[in-house]
Every structure is written in C-alpha cells, then in structure tokens.
Amino acid sequence: MPSATRTPAPTATRTPAPTGWNPPSNLVTPLNEVWQHVESTYGNLYGFRNYGWDQVIAGNGSINYCVRWDSDAPVSAALRDQIHASLARQFKKWMDAMLDNGQGTNGWPYTNVNIKVVGWAVRDRNTLQWSDNSFDIYVNNIAENAPQCAPPCGRFFNQDGDYSDCPGGFDHHYDMSLWLTKGMAGGAGGDWGQRVGSEYFVNNLNSENIHIFLHEVGNTFGLDDFYDWTPTGINSFIMNAGSASQITDFDKWMLRDFWRHLKNRYGY
C-alpha cells in the first residue's frame, strides 16, 4: 500500500510595499550622483530643520510671505496684487512637481500649497500707495542695508514656531521673505526666502517662468547649485543656473529625491 504523501502548503507571496520612487531609467544614475554629492558636501544635511519642506509641513500646507521692498519705486495696489499673484503662480510650479495625476507622490500630503503674503517692509511708507490695513507694514526696520519684516514674526528667527512676540501672533507670522532689490542681477535663496532684482521680478510678472526666482526656490527646498560639475548626461536644468529657463524633468526628480530622503522625519 503506497504511503501517504503530504502536499506542501503554498508559500505566501509577499508583495513589497510601493515606495513611490520610480524615476525614469535614464535619470537613475545622475540622481544617485547628485544625492551622493549632497551627502558629501552639506554640513548638516539631515540635522537641518528649516528647509522649505519643514516650513510647508509646519504650516499644514501653507506658506506666508513678507515682501522686502528694497527699492524706492512706488508700489500701487494693483502692482502689489500682481506681485502676489506672480509669486504664488511661480511657487506652485515646484509644488506641482510633487504631484502625479493630481495626487501627492511618495507620501507627499498636499495637493495644493497655499501661498499668502501677509506683510511688506519698506524704508518709506509713502512708497506703498495704498492706505488700507490689509497687510502688515514694516517701515524703516533695516537689516543687511535693506528694509526687513519684524523678526519676532519671522520663522527664520523663530524656528520653534513660537510667535508670541509677534503682534497678531501666528496669523501674522511669515515663513519666508520675497526680497526684491533695486538694480540686483542674479539671485539668492535659502531657508529665509528668495532675493532677486525688483525690476527683474516686476518686468516678468506675466512671464510663464521667472527662472531666476524659480532657481532660488529650489535652493529653499534644499536643492544644490551646480557651479563646478554636472551629473552624467544632464546639462540643461534650472538648478544649473543659466542652462534652463524652466523646471525640467530632472529638477522635478531631484526635488522628489530630497523629499524621499527627508519624509520620514514627518512620519511619511
């Protein structure tokens, strides 16, 4: 009589959890090169806590701006509103890079990041040609030889989120400054905000891409500059200053890679 045989139990198949990280194959090598360069050159890459990412998360999907009007050119209410609209439209281009089919990629929690201007800083109140109190106005508070918004209201100065010394409290705080400087060529960007020429920004209010400003926002989110090298096979992209006038696919994936490496600090 043949002996009974035991049929092996089927082996469970474990499907790996999706990582949300699926860059085009031609970008894998250059993206890896960029991150290796970032890790080897940033002094406090994982310890720094005031990237644009930190600010958006702290604001639950919103960013407040204050405009440092480092110019004596008058600003009408209409020009003010155009500057605000252009700022929001340009910032949105980076945030849209975090979306796939309208949904956040790789755990990114926001389908829209709200940009609001809460204040203006000037040397002379008469430069601003409106009289209502719809925005906080800071007059002749000078730092770095330019008007600045009140430090007690600025995230750069209060990274613990305590705005108890800010008149109006949290609702009147600003996360970043849009620093518009008369006669400036080029730009600068960091966790404090972005700085470009006032004439340049105003003259490009209706441009599809204000490319110097876009580059500086990339810096705010931690993206590197490429002054002395370029990744394999990639030459034209907005973070390589002067080589592109709009956010490219490579810029988009560098942004997503930065999020991929930081998102666990926010529980994603």
Side-chain angles (χ1 to χ4, degrees):
M1 182 176 176
S3 60
T5 58
R6 179 176 238 170
T7 303
T11 303
T13 302
R14 188 180 293 272
T15 304
T19 65
W21 181 243
N22 55 344
S25 59
N26 65 308
L27 300 184
V28 171
T29 293
L31 286 169
N32 287 338
E33 291 172 353
V34 168
W35 195 255
Q36 289 167 8
H37 188 264
V38 164
E39 285 195 315
S40 65
T41 58
Y42 283 30
N44 190 26
L45 173 62
Y46 295 105
F48 187 72
R49 294 278 169 168
N50 202 37
Y51 296 110
W53 309 105
D54 298 294
Q55 300 183 33
V56 172
I57 296 289
N60 195 28
S62 66
I63 290 289
N64 285 358
Y65 265 93
C66 196
V67 178
R68 299 181 69 175
W69 187 247
D70 190 9
S71 170
D72 55 4
V75 182
S76 66
L79 177 57
R80 172 199 70 192
D81 294 346
Q82 287 177 300
I83 289 172
H84 295 182
S86 186
L87 164 64
R89 189 166 59 248
Q90 297 298 311
F91 198 99
K92 185 177 187 294
K93 290 179 179 291
W94 278 114
M95 297 297 88
D96 284 352
M98 293 300 296
L99 304 180
D100 284 323
N101 299 316
Q103 297 300 312
T105 184
N106 201 6
W108 177 243
Y110 305 111
T111 56
N112 179 64
V113 173
N114 182 53
I115 302 300
K116 180 182 179 182
V117 177
V118 296
W120 280 70
V122 289
R123 286 185 172 85
D124 182 349
R125 176 62 180 86
N126 292 328
T127 302
L128 305 178
Q129 299 180 328
W130 67 86
S131 58
D132 61 69
N133 60 356
S134 52
F135 301 92
D136 296 319
I137 306 297
Y138 304 102
V139 178
N140 209 30
N141 185 342
I142 304 299
E144 303 160 291
N145 196 33
Q148 70 168 352
C149 312
C153 299
R155 178 178 168 89
F156 179 81
F157 306 98
N158 303 278
Q159 294 180 27
D160 59 358
D162 180 1
Y163 298 105
S164 56
D165 292 332
C166 173
F170 181 84
D171 289 345
H172 291 254
H173 91 282
Y174 61 96
D175 301 292
M176 302 183 199
S177 294
L178 174 62
W179 185 354
L180 301 177
T181 298
K182 180 178 180 179
M184 182 180 181
D191 62 322
W192 48 268
Q194 304 82 37
R195 184 184 189 186
V196 297
S198 55
E199 300 94 338
Y200 167 77
F201 198 89
V202 169
N203 290 340
N204 285 280
L205 287 174
N206 297 314
S207 297
E208 179 63 30
N209 296 283
I210 306 180
H211 72 273
I212 298 176
F213 175 74
L214 287 172
H215 173 98
E216 304 309 340
V217 175
N219 287 152
T220 296
F221 280 86
L223 300 187
D224 204 2
D225 292 309
F226 293 79
Y227 297 128
D228 54 359
W229 77 289
T230 51
T232 300
I234 309 291
N235 295 305
S236 177
F237 54 107
I238 207 161
M239 295 314 298
N240 182 14
S243 70
S245 60
Q246 62 186 22
I247 297 169
T248 68
D249 209 36
F250 188 65
D251 292 301
K252 177 180 82 172
W253 282 99
M254 282 198 299
L255 185 74
R256 292 178 171 199
D257 203 13
F258 217 101
W259 166 251
R260 177 170 74 113
H261 285 92
L262 287 193
K263 67 174 188 169
N264 64 340
R265 70 164 58 169
Y266 316 112
Y268 295 101

